[in-house]
Amino acid sequence: MPLTTTAEAIRSMEIRGAGRIARAAAGALRDHAEMISTDNFTGFRDGMYQAADLLRSTRPTAVSLPNAIHIVMRDLRTATDATDARNGIIRNAEAFIRSSEAAVRTIGMIGANQIRDGDTILTHCNSEAALACIIEAKKQGKEIEVFATEVRPWNQGRLTIEVLNHHEIPTHFIVDSAVRSFINDVDLAIAGADAISADGSVINKIGTSQIALAAHEARTKMIIAAETYKFAPLSSIGLEIPVEERPGSEVLADEIAQKYPFVRVRNPVFDRTPGTYIDLIVTEEGVIPPEYAPLIIREHLGWRVSDLDSHLF
Ligand code: RUB
């Protein structure tokens, strides 16, 4: 797929979900590296930097996107030869895609251990990593039920119920505002993440923080399932993860909204859940408490202090 097509598919949410976005970006960089046929290293490097900028500009919140770009392009900083640089990007992109898919499978195995036979699980949005845990628990023969939220305004919950139904998992489909009414029927909540800060807070689909609050009040376990490339290295030095705000027309059609000139429709599509409302984060490296986030950034993403101020790629 040409780079601009992938970028547009991510921007328009045809490709969505932090893991899928990361793999699509890695694939686009690989294809772009193959397409730039020049033997001139500077020309090749500048073309790749432009491609990375375009991909990075598509959606601002999912840290998986800049992390994937960083991982795929990391050898470009020290390369001097176009062929070596091209081969390095292709190799890194393919390795990233493979390891991302493997990470989701491993998270499923590890996360399923948190689910007991007979449990009822609440999930929000449409997260590959969260669903992997639920599906693996079902495959292990556990009798489980799920509450899945609708997820206004994009209705990602419909994608989730399609998957759950495919796996023959009994599911209750509820509007987002019904979470508190059902939280006492739920044994644990599992959601994914677009980004995890060094302070252990989690950015995920709008409404996640309300679920975490309701779960906290009800003493219901709140689990986040996330690959290590969802952790945000630059949050260690105070860089805030921006929360994407999409057009109000996704919430209220323009022809209705224009009747109310004093009304401004707001549409932030993610929110931040403080680590204190999260019991565990399931990663492919194991289960951690939110306060261990800096260890993931250092030991598994390999960010050293010196990387933090030379972080372009
Ligand atoms: C998707 C969303 C998902 C995370 C994790 O938001 O919030 O919970 O991206 O998903 P959007 P995954 O639909 O706006 O992209 O576990 O699949 O990476």
Side-chain angles (χ1 to χ4, degrees):
M1 205 192 273
L3 178 79
T4 48
T5 313
T6 303
E8 192 40 44
I10 296 174
R11 200 186 299 280
S12 66
M13 291 179 59
E14 192 187 315
I15 298 172
R16 49 143 301 282
R20 288 188 182 91
I21 289 172
R23 289 196 294 276
L29 290 173
R30 175 200 56 210
D31 296 349
H32 198 66
E34 279 168 349
M35 206 204 70
I36 307 179
S37 55
T38 179
D39 286 337
N40 175 286
F41 174 68
T42 312
F44 177 79
R45 188 192 55 195
D46 292 352
M48 290 308 302
Y49 281 172
Q50 276 168 16
D53 284 346
L54 175 67
L55 289 167
R56 236 189 266 105
S57 72
T58 53
R59 289 196 77 188
T61 301
V63 166
S64 56
L65 176 59
N67 275 350
I69 294 169
H70 177 86
I71 291 166
V72 171
M73 308 257 288
R74 66 181 155 213
D75 300 331
L76 206 52
R77 263 192 293 183
T78 49
T80 50
D81 174 85
T83 307
D84 287 352
R86 180 179 297 109
N87 291 339
I89 285 172
I90 295 168
R91 212 174 30 245
N92 288 347
E94 283 173 356
F96 176 81
I97 293 168
R98 273 196 308 276
S99 75
S100 163
E101 288 165 349
V104 174
R105 285 195 296 276
T106 307
I107 286 170
M109 307 290 288
I110 298 173
N113 292 335
Q114 300 295 324
I115 300 173
R116 297 161 307 180
D117 193 22
D119 271 354
T120 298
I121 305 135
L122 170 71
T123 192
H124 185 52
C125 198
N126 176 252
S127 157
E128 276 186 315
L131 281 171
C133 306
I134 296 169
I135 292 164
E136 180 55 32
K138 165 79 179 179
K139 284 188 182 153
Q140 291 174 355
K142 293 173 185 164
E143 292 284 337
I144 53 171
E145 273 186 34
V146 174
F147 277 81
T149 49
E150 183 181 28
V151 194
R152 282 273 291 148
W154 268 80
N155 296 313
Q156 286 93 333
R158 292 191 200 165
L159 301 172
T160 295
I161 58 171
E162 195 179 324
V163 175
L164 293 167
N165 188 65
H166 174 78
H167 288 277
E168 302 182 359
I169 299 173
T171 298
H172 309 263
F173 185 52
I174 59 171
V175 296
D176 303 324
S177 45
V179 164
R180 193 157 177 255
S181 300
F182 287 114
I183 198 73
N184 289 315
D185 299 342
V186 164
D187 299 292
L188 73 159
I190 308 183
D194 277 79
I196 301 175
S197 292
D199 67 1
S201 60
V202 170
I203 312 245
N204 190 49
K205 181 53 57 194
I206 190 87
T208 304
S209 68
Q210 284 180 185
I211 291 173
L213 207 54
H216 186 74
E217 182 196 41
R219 308 278 188 272
T220 299
K221 211 177 196 182
M222 177 82 196
I223 295 179
I224 297 296
E227 305 88 308
T228 50
Y229 57 78
K230 310 267 179 73
F231 288 71
L234 297 175
S235 63
S236 317
I237 49 169
L239 257 74
E240 291 260 327
I241 297 154
V243 168
E244 178 182 10
E245 181 150 3
R246 296 186 63 92
S249 56
E250 293 180 351
V251 177
L252 192 67
D254 282 340
E255 60 269 26
I256 301 175
Q258 69 195 12
K259 292 184 201 155
Y260 309 111
F262 292 100
V263 175
R264 181 177 168 210
V265 183
R266 301 296 305 269
N267 186 19
V269 297
F270 299 102
D271 65 19
R272 174 188 296 274
T273 303
T276 41
Y277 294 113
I278 295 162
D279 292 283
L280 293 172
I281 302 176
V282 180
T283 77
E284 73 275 22
E285 296 294 334
V287 173
I288 59 158
E291 54 271 27
Y292 276 33
L295 282 187
I296 296 286
I297 292 168
R298 201 183 62 200
E299 290 178 13
H300 298 290
L301 289 179
W303 279 70
R304 294 158 308 170
V305 172
S306 58
D307 289 321
L308 292 172
D309 58 353
S310 60
H311 64 267
L312 272 181
F313 292 105

